[in-house]
Amino acid sequence: MNKDIKESFHKTKIAGSIAAGALDEVTKIVKPGITTNEIDKLCYEYINDHGAYSAPLLYRGFPKSCCTSVNHVVCHGIPSNKVLKDGDILNVDVTALKDGWHGDTSRMFEIGNVSIKAKKLIETTYKSMMKAIKILKEDIYLGDIGSTIQKYVEANGCSVVQDFCGHGIGQSFHLEPNILHYGKKGTGEKIKAGMIFTIEPMINLGKYETKVLSDGWTAVTRDKTLSAQFEHTVGITKDGYEIFTESKILN
């Protein structure tokens, strides 16, 4: 691994570990009765206390430090005074910017006692991401990632959101290439060692179609069925991959 790649991996891992640490802290407070604003405040303070900046804050005008997407919200939910209730499912998406490098990750949280269907959706979403990560190495195709996710998700009776995707990341928040979570094996560009990107499948219990609400950010399922998402930032090596955003308490 050349010096530049080694440095980019090292700095992304530092940022990624801060982002993952913020989600580990959310695990300690998330329960029925708290608001998504309280989660936002915790993430902002944790990331700030670790010498980093919450990259979503004011990014393209986004008003908060993290995204909180509840139930049928697919992504980009804006933290508010909304109180979480028993049975809700929640995605929290955080990105830390540290020394000029970004680490981006999201995780699902179960609020109190959630339905069996919701548990299955969350499990399917997580497994689809990890199955895609485990095939990563130099010279596979971007389409292999999407194909792996789509086949697994659809075999489990769910659907893959097509309006949003993963992305390259580094000294900028969003870079090429786009990482689609659906597609055909053997298509798209070849992955090369040194690439850093996110894999962040958004999976719906119902149909895959989404719409964005009037706030210009919050994306929801058109059929109002539940949606789930997980996200890791990963780097490609000659013979595999490195995950930069692993939890310290869940792995």
Side-chain angles (χ1 to χ4, degrees):
M1 193 183 290
N2 72 38
K3 187 181 174 187
D4 287 345
I5 292 174
K6 197 172 279 189
E7 183 186 14
S8 68
F9 276 33
H10 175 68
K11 291 195 168 179
T12 302
K13 188 162 192 173
I14 292 170
S17 67
I18 294 170
L23 293 183
D24 287 347
E25 291 301 305
V26 172
T27 303
K28 299 173 186 177
I29 69 160
V30 72
K31 62 182 180 181
I34 73 161
T35 67
T36 51
N37 266 340
E38 289 175 82
I39 292 168
D40 181 71
K41 183 172 184 285
L42 178 135
C43 289
Y44 173 82
E45 290 176 350
Y46 180 90
I47 290 170
N48 193 58
D49 288 348
H50 285 77
Y53 178 77
S54 291
L57 184 61
L58 304 181
Y59 178 76
R60 296 180 181 168
F62 190 78
K64 297 287 184 172
S65 295
C66 68
C67 300
T68 51
S69 302
V70 183
N71 295 335
H72 73 292
V73 178
V74 175
C75 61
H76 304 155
I78 301 172
S80 68
N81 291 322
K82 179 181 177 63
V83 175
L84 296 172
K85 305 188 303 294
D86 186 69
D88 284 343
I89 63 171
L90 166 73
N91 176 273
V92 180
D93 190 342
V94 297
T95 307
L97 173 59
K98 170 79 171 172
D99 295 333
W101 291 81
H102 293 77
D104 189 3
T105 184
S106 84
R107 198 180 300 171
M108 293 301 297
F109 297 89
E110 298 179 8
I111 314 303
N113 298 302
V114 308
S115 69
I116 291 170
K117 277 186 177 180
K119 283 181 179 289
K120 177 78 189 297
L121 172 66
I122 290 170
E123 180 185 16
T124 298
T125 305
Y126 180 75
K127 284 185 175 177
S128 76
M129 175 184 70
M130 293 310 299
K131 281 178 178 291
I133 288 173
K134 284 172 182 172
I135 68 165
L136 295 175
K137 61 181 180 179
E138 186 168 62
D139 285 339
I140 71 161
Y141 294 89
L142 287 179
D144 298 356
I145 296 171
S147 173
T148 299
I149 292 169
Q150 186 174 18
K151 280 182 180 173
Y152 180 76
V153 166
E154 291 179 355
N156 281 275
C158 299
S159 63
V160 180
V161 169
Q162 299 186 9
D163 294 332
F164 302 95
C165 59
H167 52 89
I169 191 167
Q171 290 176 290
S172 294
F173 196 163
H174 294 91
L175 296 167
E176 293 294 328
N178 288 333
I179 310 297
L180 303 182
H181 303 116
Y182 63 96
K184 290 183 180 177
K185 195 171 180 181
T187 63
E189 69 176 276
K190 278 190 175 180
I191 291 171
K192 294 298 176 190
M195 290 174 76
I196 300 173
F197 52 79
T198 70
I199 296 181
E200 48 182 300
M202 285 149 266
I203 308 304
N204 296 347
L205 206 50
K207 295 178 180 176
Y208 68 83
E209 290 90 355
T210 69
K211 65 178 180 180
V212 176
L213 301 184
S214 59
D215 61 25
W217 285 104
T218 308
V220 299
T221 56
R222 280 192 176 272
D223 60 9
K224 298 187 178 174
T225 55
L226 294 176
S227 187
Q229 180 188 18
F230 282 90
E231 175 182 15
H232 272 317
T233 297
V234 297
I236 305 302
T237 63
K238 283 281 183 190
D239 53 2
Y241 61 88
E242 190 171 347
I243 300 174
F244 299 127
T245 46
E246 285 186 307
S247 166
K248 291 181 176 65
I249 64 173
L250 297 180
N251 295 311

